[in-house]
């Protein structure tokens, strides 16, 4: 284990610290030096002799194992995919749908977890149920657990699909409860985990997750376009790959011998050559995160976001993100009662080298573990007063 403190504010390990107060890890994260070095090494090798003398393909398997450990899966349940969308599309395309099947999701999902299901609804006559977000007396916004369970509790519901953390509110769902309900009632659970893997504990076994997808470009600190897809071992046989190519099959490298028998592990969902450059970057990033430990990272992000939430409230901003036990996340969404949000984001970026995001009319700041309290204080100083 590396010492978390050695990375905090360390601009050699996180060069972004030299240029920006960067708080958009829930958007696209800057990669650490280690990930950039791994991709530079790949580029030098590719230029010198392609795969010759490299460990690329063994490294892909190491990445698979590291990613699996991060979510408490086994390596044969993890596929290396292009992005979250490809993982979710694999589930949508992989199940035998029937007219009248119900798919339960929320009304506030990122569209990566909406359009694949709209497509299923349109093509097979399935019904897509969107459970709405509601506000509480303090102005926090959340999709209530009870409402999700009530929607799931219908004889025609086959699948519940939601983000572990919602992108625009930062709400973390109680996956363990939802997963237990689904398992006990014979429903499938699919999770878009791009807003949690790398920063908050994810345990597909304890949470009874059936399918999970996440690209690496947010909290995992990898480049865009290199992600992971988990399929519970018992479901691999029953789930058809979305794309069939030369690599999904058992004897993939026996090129001239056509044996159309799918692999029995999650590599069944990998149709062709990998984005090796991107995965080398992701591998280095996940090794860094694993060496620090996700529990320590989550604790640090809690400390940073608690500080941010307290200072925002002191300065007249309304925090929309639920912050209770088990509901908080690395994304803090907030609103100004008077100032123009787009203008705030623009001014921060142009005049203060500070990056936050604007999502669904809310400002969102999402620090990672290596950010400092001083950076959060600077952000507060640069925000307009009320
Ligand atoms: C919840 C969520 N899912 C998915 C994505 C991105 O999907 P993909 O990895 O397919 O680009 C985002 C990016 O903003 C997101 O916030």
């Amino acid at each position: 284990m590396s010492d978390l403190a050695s990375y905090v504010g360390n601009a050699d390990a996180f060069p972004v610290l030299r240029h920006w107060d960067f708080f958009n890890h829930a958007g696209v994260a800057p990669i650490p030096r280690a990930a950039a070095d791994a991709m530079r090494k790949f580029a030098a090798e590719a230029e010198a002799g392609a795969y010759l003398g490299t460990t690329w393909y063994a490294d892909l398997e190491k990445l698979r194992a590291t990613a699996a450990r991060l979510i408490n899966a086994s390596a044969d349940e993890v596929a290396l995919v292009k992005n979250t969308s490809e993982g979710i599309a694999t589930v949508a395309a992989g199940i035998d749908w029937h007219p009248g099947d119900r798919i339960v999701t929320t009304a506030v999902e990122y569209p990566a977890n909406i359009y694949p299901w709209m497509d299923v609804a349109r093509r097979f006559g399935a019904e897509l149920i969107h459970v709405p977000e509601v506000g509480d007396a303090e102005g926090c916004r959340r999709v209530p657990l009870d409402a999700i369970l009530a929607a799931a509790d219908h004889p025609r519901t086959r699948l519940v699909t939601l983000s572990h953390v919602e992108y625009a509110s930062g709400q973390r769902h109680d996956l363990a409860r939802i997963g237990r309900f689904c398992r006990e009632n014979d429903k499938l659970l699919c999770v878009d985990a791009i807003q949690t893997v790398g920063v908050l504990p994810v345990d597909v076994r304890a949470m009874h997750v059936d399918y999970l997808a996440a690209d690496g470009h947010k909290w995992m600190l990898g480049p865009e376009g290199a992600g992971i897809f988990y399929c519970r071992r018992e479901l691999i046989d029953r789930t058809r790959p979305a794309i069939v190519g030369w690599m999904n099959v058992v004897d993939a490298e026996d090129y001239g011998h056509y044996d159309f028998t799918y692999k029995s592990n999650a590599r069944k969902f990998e149709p062709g050559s990998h984005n090796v450059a991107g995965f080398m970057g992701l591998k280095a990033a996940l090794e860094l995160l694993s060496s620090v430990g996700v529990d320590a990272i989550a604790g640090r992000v809690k400390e940073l976001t608690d500080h941010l939430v307290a200072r925002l409230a002191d300065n007249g901003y309304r925090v929309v993100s639920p912050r209770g036990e088990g509901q908080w996340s690395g994304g803090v969404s907030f609103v100004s009662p008077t100032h123009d949000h787009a203008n705030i984001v623009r001014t921060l970026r142009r005049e203060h080298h500070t990056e936050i995001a604007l999502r669904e009319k809310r400002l969102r700041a999402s620090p990672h573990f290596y950010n400092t309290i001083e950076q959060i204080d600077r952000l507060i100083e640069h925000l307009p007063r009320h």
Side-chain angles (χ1 to χ4, degrees), residues 26-27 83-86 110 112 163 165 167 192 194-195 215 217-218:
N83 45 44
T84 321
S85 299
E86 186 184 351
Y110 192 78
S163 301
V165 161
Y167 78 105
D192 173 345
I194 195 171
Q195 294 290 358
D215 196 46
H217 69 262
K218 299 185 192 287

Side-chain angles (χ1 to χ4, degrees), residues 136-166:
D136 66 13
E138 285 89 53
C140 279
R141 306 282 306 178
R142 60 167 73 73
V143 183
L145 174 64
D146 290 350
I148 296 169
L149 297 181
D153 190 13
H154 182 286
R156 293 305 310 268
T157 299
R158 286 192 66 196
L159 177 112
V160 174
T161 182
L162 78 178
S163 301
H164 191 180
V165 161
E166 298 295 350

